[in-house]
Amino acid sequence: MARWVKTQLGRWGAVWVWAAAFLYSAMTVLGYNLEKHNTVVPGGNYLLLLACLAAGTVLFALALAALLFLTEKIRWREGQGLRLRWFFAFWGIILLCWLPLFLGAFPGIFSYDSNLQITWFITDYRSAHHAVIHTAMLGGLVELGHTLFGSYQAGAVLYTVVQMVLMAGLFAGTCMYLSACRAPRWLIAASVLFYGLYVANGYFAMAATKDSLFSALFCFFAAQLLLMSRDADRFFASKGQLALFAATMFLLMIFRNNTFHTLLASLPFFLAGFRRHWKRLLLVMLIPMCLLKVYQGPFYKAMGIIPGDAREAYSVIIQPLARLYFLMPETFSAEERELLYEVIPEEYLERYVARQSDPVRWGFDTPAFNEHAGEFLSMWIEKGLEHPVIYVDAVLSTSYGLWYPWHEYPDAATSQTFVEYNYGTEIQEILQIRRAPLWEWMNEVNYQICQEAALQHIPVIGFFFSGASFLWYLLFVTLYLFWKKNWRRLWVLIPLWAYFGTLLLGPVSNMRYMYPLAVCLPVLAYILAERRGEGKK
């Protein structure tokens, strides 16, 4: 291997190995410190921090060089495109794999924000705080089940089954796109098994949250980008494919608000990467973006839908000031307190929790912030320059579970779990939507895996059931592409990185937020295993 490093890795490869090694080391050391000590610099010992970062960088550099060496040994034998009947076979296999989980979780997993969304639908409260299309789908199917079968429990089953069928279809479609890219049969088979047997896929397929369908759409979109990067001429010559690409984009944007910014940030890279087809690409991306503005503008207004609050993206502003106030309230003068209280009332500042911004964010007064934005941001910058470590701790504390794979679940501080399995709110009791497992033993297995995060507590194996581990995979594939100078495949990863960037502004670390990256694993595996030089054509 030492000879391979000298002769094959080269100076360019060494630069990227050391850069990636430093990032892995930083994510490990800083994440550990935040997990155990609630600060990136325990005791203010900067020398110890630097020593740990340096040691970690060396160890990760050796590990990355070894992984690159092994990656080069992967055998690639181009496969043939599969016939349409295989799509239905994959669809059925994935659903069959999920069936035992469903029998234990019957009628589904109605946790997260589903109780609020069902309440809104029944009371006809129309808000874009949660995706309008998902609220309508969830409430509409639950109500339809009640109308057809006489119980809301039947409606809950109907919703779960519909979502499982849709997600299995999108995953099967992703596998067919891999086939269209001439993936080896072993990779297609492994992808089908991943979607069927990796338990997070089955649990999120049953979870009544917008993140589930969004994630399935996201990997389907990534697979389309993969085909675009492999055979751009064929892709852009197909009107049907372009229409499907635009439709997928639109659905992604209406399921999650931050997707618009994800795709907008990706657009310049796409135009540069596919400049021969830039006119068609620009048109096919601008059409769904313009439709989104119509959807969020005239359509919202006509339907009486209340737009979402901008404070959803303000955690990076809220948490640093809240942490500083919580730890050192004396640093604020009387005038500064008056301004701070006008935007964030004192009772909410006192609810500060390091790993979750919601307790403080719920009290953030957006109109008051807009009125005093200049003064407030000036105070935010001034306090940050005076107390940089507190600011860094505040920002990283809400996100480190996204990039530190050994974050411990369940997290008592934020009530976060692998998958939120328990439910039973007042509205669900009124509607009599209750868990009624058909296999009681599987219900207990589901509970241990989801609520108690049992798999994450197993040494080594637990790494693969952490949402942050998928960021580590993404970083390694990115490193590989930089080393190979395979820029065309690199464009496929731009939306994944842009999406992750939006998560860093979010209120809390959660597996469901990383799930869109998780389901892109087969696309990442294709890029990593693809024979050398294929992407440079």
Side-chain angles (χ1 to χ4, degrees):
M1 180 179 161
R3 183 178 178 182
W4 176 86
V5 170
K6 291 181 180 179
T7 59
Q8 300 295 322
L9 184 63
R11 186 176 299 176
W12 173 261
V15 168
W16 287 107
V17 163
W18 283 106
F22 175 76
L23 288 176
Y24 281 121
S25 178
M27 288 188 286
T28 302
V29 174
L30 299 182
Y32 178 85
N33 287 344
L34 287 166
E35 179 88 8
K36 302 299 182 182
H37 307 290
N38 198 30
T39 177
V40 295
V41 191
N45 193 334
Y46 290 94
L47 287 178
L48 178 60
L49 176 65
L50 292 174
C52 290
L53 287 173
T57 300
V58 172
L59 292 175
F60 276 112
L62 294 173
L64 288 171
L67 286 173
L68 289 175
F69 173 75
L70 294 174
T71 300
E72 286 291 271
K73 301 297 182 182
I74 295 176
R75 294 183 178 180
W76 176 273
R77 185 176 180 181
E78 193 173 84
Q80 298 296 318
L82 297 175
R83 295 181 181 274
L84 182 61
R85 63 173 179 266
W86 282 101
F87 167 76
F88 297 101
F90 297 158
W91 198 350
I93 290 170
I94 294 170
L95 282 172
L96 191 62
C97 290
W98 292 347
L99 183 59
L101 305 181
F102 176 59
L103 294 177
F106 191 88
I109 303 176
F110 289 84
S111 54
Y112 298 113
D113 302 309
S114 61
N115 63 306
L116 189 61
Q117 291 176 270
I118 293 173
T119 303
W120 286 358
F121 185 86
I122 291 175
T123 59
D124 199 29
Y125 177 74
R126 304 178 183 185
S127 171
H129 178 75
H130 296 296
V132 174
I133 186 174
H134 183 254
T135 300
M137 176 183 170
L138 173 58
L141 288 173
V142 169
E143 187 65 48
L144 178 61
H146 175 259
T147 302
L148 295 177
F149 306 107
S151 77
Y152 287 105
Q153 183 85 335
V157 175
L158 179 61
Y159 172 83
T160 303
V161 170
V162 168
Q163 179 167 282
M164 290 174 68
V165 168
L166 290 175
M167 289 183 64
L170 288 166
F171 290 151
T174 299
C175 295
M176 293 302 292
Y177 268 111
L178 293 179
S179 171
C181 292
R182 299 294 189 264
R185 296 295 172 86
W186 65 263
L187 180 56
I188 297 174
S191 300
V192 174
L193 291 177
F194 166 74
Y195 287 129
L197 298 179
Y198 186 69
V199 291
N201 296 323
Y203 290 132
F204 278 111
M206 296 184 291
T209 170
K210 63 181 180 295
D211 302 280
S212 298
L213 276 168
F214 172 82
S215 299
L217 286 164
F218 193 74
C219 75
F220 189 66
F221 178 74
Q224 292 179 67
L225 286 176
L226 182 64
L227 180 61
M228 183 193 297
S229 72
R230 194 181 194 280
D231 193 347
D233 293 338
R234 172 186 166 195
F235 188 94
F236 286 101
S238 171
K239 293 180 180 179
Q241 179 58 68
L242 292 176
L244 181 60
F245 184 77
T248 307
M249 271 189 62
F250 181 70
L251 288 173
L252 282 170
M253 290 187 289
I254 62 176
F255 263 97
R256 280 194 74 92
N257 293 329
N258 60 2
T259 315
F260 172 77
H261 302 96
T262 296
L263 296 174
L264 189 63
S266 305
L267 181 57
F269 296 95
F270 290 165
L271 294 176
F274 304 101
R275 49 188 174 274
R276 281 183 55 196
H277 305 278
W278 72 269
K279 292 181 180 178
R280 283 202 170 192
L281 178 59
L282 182 62
L283 179 64
V284 83
M285 291 190 72
L286 284 181
I287 288 174
M289 288 181 176
C290 292
L291 287 176
L292 177 70
K293 295 307 175 184
V294 174
Y295 175 77
Q296 294 178 337
F299 178 77
Y300 274 17
K301 187 175 181 180
M303 298 299 295
I305 297 170
I306 303 170
D309 198 308
R311 68 185 177 190
E312 295 296 309
Y314 288 169
S315 293
V316 72
I317 296 175
I318 296 168
Q319 284 295 92
L321 285 174
R323 185 182 183 95
L324 181 60
Y325 181 86
F326 186 80
L327 297 176
M328 304 173 64
E330 69 278 2
T331 60
F332 292 89
S333 66
E335 293 79 7
E336 290 171 337
R337 288 192 183 205
E338 182 179 355
L339 175 60
L340 183 62
Y341 293 162
E342 188 165 350
V343 177
I344 311 174
E346 183 178 8
E347 59 267 27
Y348 285 94
L349 289 167
E350 293 173 348
R351 298 176 188 176
Y352 172 76
V353 175
R355 299 178 186 175
Q356 186 176 26
S357 69
D358 285 346
V360 180
R361 186 167 58 92
W362 288 332
F364 187 86
D365 190 333
T366 304
F369 171 76
N370 292 335
E371 184 179 349
H372 303 284
E375 299 171 73
F376 196 86
L377 290 175
S378 295
M379 179 177 67
W380 183 83
I381 294 171
E382 180 183 338
K383 297 299 180 185
L385 294 174
E386 294 173 2
H387 306 279
V389 175
I390 288 180
Y391 266 47
V392 171
D393 287 343
V395 172
L396 296 185
S397 289
T398 57
S399 68
Y400 80 92
L402 304 173
W403 41 266
Y404 178 64
W406 297 278
H407 178 46
E408 295 178 3
Y409 289 108
D411 187 342
T414 61
S415 302
Q416 300 300 315
T417 62
F418 180 58
V419 177
E420 194 173 307
Y421 191 67
N422 286 341
Y423 62 90
T425 60
E426 182 180 357
I427 185 65
Q428 289 166 339
E429 286 298 318
I430 293 173
L431 301 179
Q432 295 187 339
I433 297 176
R434 300 169 181 169
R435 176 154 293 129
L438 303 180
W439 284 0
E440 185 57 49
W441 66 272
M442 182 55 74
N443 179 45
E444 181 59 28
V445 170
N446 290 344
Y447 177 84
Q448 290 298 322
I449 293 175
C450 294
Q451 204 68 28
E452 298 298 327
L455 295 176
Q456 288 181 293
H457 299 157
I458 302 174
V460 182
I461 292 176
F463 175 87
F464 301 100
F465 293 91
S466 165
S469 65
F470 295 96
L471 176 70
W472 284 44
Y473 305 151
L474 175 60
L475 179 56
F476 180 73
V477 176
T478 305
L479 159 67
Y480 184 77
L481 293 180
F482 271 111
W483 173 43
K484 290 297 183 180
K485 299 182 180 179
N486 191 342
W487 312 122
R488 178 164 290 188
R489 295 293 181 268
L490 194 61
W491 307 142
V492 179
L493 305 186
I494 295 297
L496 280 67
W497 280 111
Y499 170 77
F500 178 75
T502 65
L503 296 184
L504 297 177
L505 304 177
V508 69
S509 302
N510 197 308
M511 174 63 184
R512 66 180 173 127
Y513 298 149
M514 293 298 288
Y515 186 54
L517 298 185
V519 292
C520 288
L521 186 61
V523 174
L524 297 179
Y526 176 97
I527 293 172
L528 197 62
E530 186 182 23
R531 74 167 180 267
R532 288 177 291 177
E534 183 69 30
K536 297 178 183 178
K537 290 184 179 180

